[in-house]
Amino acid sequence: MKTLDIIKPENLVYKRTELMTDNTLSYCPGCGHGTAHKLVMEVIEEMGIVEDTVGVAPVGCSVLAYEFMDIDMQQAAHGRAPAVATAIARTWPNKYVFTYQGDGDLAAIGTAETIHACNRGENIVIIFVNNGIYGMTGGQMAPTTLPGMPSSTSPYGRDTCSTGSPLKITELVANLPGVYNVSRHAVHTHKHVRKAKKAILKGFQDTRLRKGLTLIEIVSNCNSGWKMQPRQSNEWMEENMFPFYELGDIKVDGKMINKK
Amino acid sequence: MAEIKLMKGNEALAEAAIRAGVDAYFGYPITPQSEVIEYLMMEQPEKTTGMVVLQAESEVAAINMVYGAAGAGKRVMTSSSSPGISLKQEGISYMAGAELPAVIVNVVRGGPGLGTIQPSQADYFQSVKGGGHGDYKLYVLAPASVQEMADHVEDAFEMAFKYRTPVLILSDGVIGQMMEKVQFKEFKPRWTDDEIYQLHGNWATTGKKKGRERNIITSLDLKSEKMEGRVHRLMKKYAQMEEEDLRFETIKCEDAEYLIVAYGSSARIAQKTVDLARAKGIKVGLLRPITLFPFPKKQLMEFTKQVKGILSVELSMGQMVEDVRLAVEHKVPVEHFGRTGGIIHTPEEILDALQQKLIKN
Ligand SMILES: Cc1ncc(C[n+]2csc(CCOP(=O)(O)OP(=O)(O)O)c2C)c(N)n1
Ligand code: SF4
């Protein structure tokens, strides 16, 4: 007997989406990836589009996303998910296609694929998890690493004189006409989770209108790479990441949002 | 009702792709194969057969687009020339690992580096030994005429789906650029969505239908035993290719005392050498591999009972010659002749080489 069988429907306040498999998540305890996965799966379940959805997860901590998301998925080479997704969306115009990419993947090795998929206005949703570091390979510097932030390849802190400043690729692609919605979120509190889910839902709905690409950045923690306790990493994220990577809408329905 | 046209090899390949019911082409311009994408853009098959044609931002993007569409059960192809094919290697290795059917065309130019835009056959090693990283091979077809540039498209897709593997058409600047008569087959319709669900719904990412497990396209196995199993599965396919799908042609070999082995444009040139030699009373035959993997190893071994020597002729400093030597296990002398850097050898040069390297000593 499962827990759900003994709970009366009127007493049920939370149910795990059926689109997450029973496999144990490979993510470090406290990492935001699991929550981000769940949100995407909830949206697909609620929209009832599992039969017409294809996901693409490239190399990064979430390379095994297909172990956890109970949908058809392709694993892509490092950085190339937008190209892979482009072809699926072009050859199956009635499908919902999304990518789930890290910041090293999307903003370093895959910059060209990202920008050009955005510029062509591919009808796909990009879920961009920005944890300011290369998680999978053991905490090296990413293009998004904050100034002064230590990593295994910037052990004395990121020196912007020699490595450049953190790349706000989200703001950059928002300016492209092919991009329809751009927003930045977090998933470490209920409030943030609700907002992020709404944006993901809108993104999936808008691909049906064939208006172009939706990019949703999720600023997340990498407690292992940052060498912090999970809770401490969330506090550090609020104090350091959020002032630089401001949360909120950047472009909605093709219109840039003016922030004063 | 067969139509006969006068066309460049590259154009014939593009036209054949439309007629073969190909779903998508993704490419990036590079000489000497840009006519492929130019022809497709001009013909606009999107409006007739529904074939998608897209100019990608790079060869890297193009091959990953091929990966995506192939993984979703579509008939998809790309073409490029040597430096572009080098860029595609990571993607090709991923496709071999993930067991994806697709067709890749290399209209070879001279290298290394930026090299020359003139024809060459110096990408043989890259094509038949793997090319990218890891334990894999491609099924490799080597057209020697504009007609074969057209015919090999459908043949390549047949093999790609029979074995669920990437297939390479290894052409060169001569075959791609020259004009010849070509006869096209009837139009073959693209698969409908329902046909794809039926044919490939058990492995391709077409959307998880009720009652089936999710389909996953991946080349990743973190457990070594599983990874070894995957590679063994690939090796089984390659063994089956050697059994069932080897292709080659022999020309004037019945009474030959010397054998030339050549593929693609070199085979065309060497055919003339055979006639020149025979006019001089030297009995020469030509073995033309049509597939470079699988390679006609057993057939070459058979010839060691008949011929006094073998000359491997390639537009390179000698690559296929290594496979010829391996095949004949030193039973007869094997020599190489070839010009490189974009220079095309003449039938007379080949005959001279044959006489000097094999007959005089
Ligand atoms: C061509 C290539 N280069 C490098 C790697 C090694 N690699 C794997 S994941 C990764 C970084 C991933 O970082 P990110 O995209 O930020 O995702 P995260 O792991 O932080 O979620 C790198 C460099 C690779 N797999 N392929
Ligand atoms: S390494 Fe970082 S990003 Fe990867 S699972 Fe662990 S905490 Fe998450």
Side-chain angles (χ1 to χ4, degrees):
Chain A
M1 194 184 283
K2 285 184 183 165
T3 330
L4 273 184
D5 299 333
I6 48 176
I7 296 175
K8 290 194 183 121
E10 63 270 26
N11 292 338
L12 186 72
V13 286
Y14 173 79
K15 185 169 150 266
R16 196 187 65 167
T17 165
E18 281 170 14
L19 295 185
M20 287 295 283
T21 65
D22 287 332
N23 296 334
T24 309
L25 288 176
S26 54
Y27 303 110
C28 309
C31 172
H33 269 308
T35 313
H37 278 28
K38 189 190 73 169
L39 291 188
V40 181
M41 290 306 101
E42 282 179 357
V43 164
I44 293 167
E45 186 183 11
E46 284 162 26
M47 286 177 73
I49 55 170
V50 63
E51 297 204 355
D52 289 311
T53 300
V54 183
V56 184
V59 183
C61 275
S62 48
V63 67
L64 285 174
Y66 57 71
E67 292 287 345
F68 316 122
M69 301 182 173
D70 197 8
I71 61 170
D72 277 8
M73 287 202 81
Q74 294 197 19
Q75 181 254 310
H78 194 18
R80 317 303 171 204
V84 172
T86 291
I88 303 170
R90 292 270 182 140
T91 55
W92 285 102
N94 297 328
K95 304 278 177 206
Y96 295 86
V97 184
F98 74 92
T99 69
Y100 185 102
Q101 305 175 249
D103 46 321
D105 187 84
L106 182 140
I109 194 168
T111 310
E113 283 77 8
T114 303
I115 289 187
H116 287 282
C118 287
N119 195 45
R120 287 190 302 262
E122 299 296 343
N123 286 296
I124 60 174
V125 178
I126 295 181
I127 310 290
F128 166 35
V129 178
N130 174 8
N131 54 19
I133 208 155
Y134 285 14
M136 189 195 207
T137 38
Q140 294 85 4
M141 188 181 74
T144 45
T145 300
L146 295 178
M149 182 176 166
S151 74
S152 67
T153 52
S154 58
Y156 306 106
R158 181 178 187 165
D159 172 11
T160 52
C161 288
S162 63
T163 66
S165 295
L167 183 61
K168 287 190 182 176
I169 196 159
T170 302
E171 273 81 358
L172 207 122
V173 299
N175 288 301
L176 302 172
V179 177
Y180 195 56
N181 301 307
V182 179
S183 54
R184 189 181 278 123
H185 299 271
V187 291
H188 65 308
T189 72
H190 296 300
K191 188 182 81 186
H192 288 102
V193 162
R194 274 196 298 275
K195 279 192 187 158
K197 186 169 166 184
K198 239 172 101 180
I200 297 170
L201 178 69
K202 177 168 165 50
F204 273 83
Q205 285 169 339
D206 285 352
T207 56
R208 250 298 166 271
L209 308 173
R210 312 195 66 72
K211 292 274 171 100
L213 187 143
T214 292
L215 186 139
I216 292 159
E217 175 176 336
I218 296 173
V219 181
S220 190
N221 61 340
C222 173
N223 36 296
S224 290
W226 298 355
K227 314 240 178 297
M228 294 177 195
Q229 296 295 323
R231 185 168 299 170
Q232 184 198 3
S233 73
N234 283 335
E235 285 161 11
W236 191 90
M237 176 172 72
E238 287 181 352
E239 281 162 25
N240 299 278
M241 297 280 278
F242 291 178
F244 190 85
Y245 298 111
E246 235 181 291
L247 305 189
D249 289 331
I250 297 167
K251 192 177 195 179
V252 178
D253 295 338
K255 286 188 202 76
M256 295 295 283
I257 305 297
N258 267 328
K259 282 190 195 146
K260 272 162 247 148
Chain B
M1 278 239 309
E3 284 176 67
I4 297 179
K5 287 187 175 176
L6 183 69
M7 273 179 138
K8 273 191 179 188
N10 288 335
E11 293 169 348
L13 177 112
E15 175 66 27
I18 300 171
R19 286 168 185 256
V22 172
D23 294 302
Y25 170 92
F26 302 101
Y28 188 82
I30 182 170
T31 309
Q33 67 76 54
S34 297
E35 292 85 3
V36 177
I37 188 166
E38 286 168 355
Y39 184 91
L40 290 172
M41 288 296 181
M42 191 67 98
E43 288 300 306
Q44 295 182 296
E46 206 140 8
K47 292 185 179 162
T48 50
T49 70
M51 175 184 179
V52 173
V53 185
L54 184 64
Q55 180 171 331
E57 59 270 32
S58 68
E59 287 87 352
V60 176
I63 196 70
N64 283 283
M65 289 173 183
V66 170
Y67 180 101
K74 297 283 181 170
R75 288 155 70 91
V76 55
M77 65 186 285
T78 183
S79 65
S80 186
S81 178
S82 309
I85 295 289
S86 291
L87 267 182
K88 287 182 198 281
Q89 291 300 338
E90 184 200 25
I92 296 173
S93 166
Y94 268 68
M95 284 199 287
E99 301 181 72
L100 295 184
V103 176
I104 301 134
V105 185
N106 185 1
V107 183
V108 182
R109 57 190 256 177
L114 192 54
T116 166
I117 59 171
Q118 301 303 326
S120 166
Q121 294 181 309
D123 294 356
Y124 176 89
F125 280 151
Q126 186 195 51
S127 309
V128 306
K129 306 290 177 190
H133 58 286
D135 262 335
Y136 78 93
K137 281 177 185 295
L138 303 173
Y139 185 86
V140 184
L141 280 159
S145 63
V146 172
Q147 184 65 52
E148 281 187 343
M149 280 291 267
D151 293 346
H152 282 187
V153 174
E154 211 178 316
D155 299 348
F157 274 105
E158 200 185 312
M159 289 300 112
F161 279 91
K162 174 174 175 182
Y163 293 104
R164 243 211 281 148
T165 190
V167 171
L168 181 74
I169 296 179
L170 185 68
S171 181
D172 61 60
V174 177
I175 308 292
Q177 291 295 325
M178 74 183 181
M179 289 183 90
E180 279 186 321
K181 271 191 303 194
V182 52
Q183 194 170 335
F184 287 106
K185 297 194 179 128
E186 295 294 311
F187 275 93
K188 201 172 142 182
R190 288 173 48 238
W191 285 322
T192 62
D193 288 0
D194 281 338
E195 282 173 319
I196 295 178
Y197 291 137
Q198 282 204 333
L199 289 167
H200 310 300
N202 60 342
W203 63 270
T205 59
T206 53
K208 182 179 177 283
K209 294 271 175 279
K210 269 198 193 74
R212 78 149 161 85
E213 295 279 296
R214 66 188 183 284
N215 287 337
I216 298 166
I217 302 298
T218 183
S219 59
L220 174 71
D221 283 310
L222 290 173
K223 293 211 173 75
S224 300
E225 290 73 20
K226 272 193 86 182
M227 189 63 212
E228 191 182 43
R230 181 187 294 266
V231 174
H232 283 170
R233 195 161 68 234
L234 299 184
M235 296 303 137
K236 248 190 217 155
K237 292 187 195 185
Y238 307 148
Q240 191 187 345
M241 286 175 193
E242 299 201 274
E243 284 301 313
E244 297 175 14
D245 291 297
L246 169 75
R247 289 173 64 181
F248 63 92
E249 178 186 24
T250 51
I251 294 166
K252 299 192 179 161
C253 285
E254 297 74 27
D255 60 344
E257 291 173 1
Y258 293 93
L259 185 70
I260 294 175
V261 185
Y263 68 94
S265 56
S266 282
R268 291 292 288 274
I269 301 162
Q271 215 169 318
K272 178 80 180 164
T273 306
V274 170
D275 294 338
L276 292 177
R278 284 178 176 268
K280 282 188 162 186
I282 312 167
K283 287 178 182 165
V284 180
L286 172 67
L287 173 73
R288 174 172 83 93
I290 299 172
T291 54
L292 295 174
F293 182 81
F295 194 67
K297 289 186 281 192
K298 284 184 198 145
Q299 290 70 21
L300 279 164
M301 188 53 123
E302 277 298 301
F303 272 114
T304 61
K305 295 176 192 154
Q306 177 189 333
V307 302
K308 295 178 191 155
I310 301 176
L311 186 69
S312 174
V313 179
E314 323 160 51
L315 291 167
S316 75
M317 292 311 287
Q319 300 190 8
M320 180 176 68
V321 65
E322 292 190 5
D323 285 339
V324 178
R325 285 202 178 112
L326 276 174
V328 305
E329 293 174 9
H330 296 285
K331 291 212 160 44
V332 295
V334 176
E335 295 292 343
H336 159 263
F337 175 73
R339 302 295 301 269
T340 194
I343 297 174
I344 298 162
H345 31 234
T346 63
E348 293 78 10
E349 280 179 315
I350 299 172
L351 182 55
D352 279 352
L354 182 80
Q355 287 181 302
Q356 279 174 27
K357 294 186 176 202
L358 286 171
I359 301 177
K360 278 190 185 154
N361 51 35

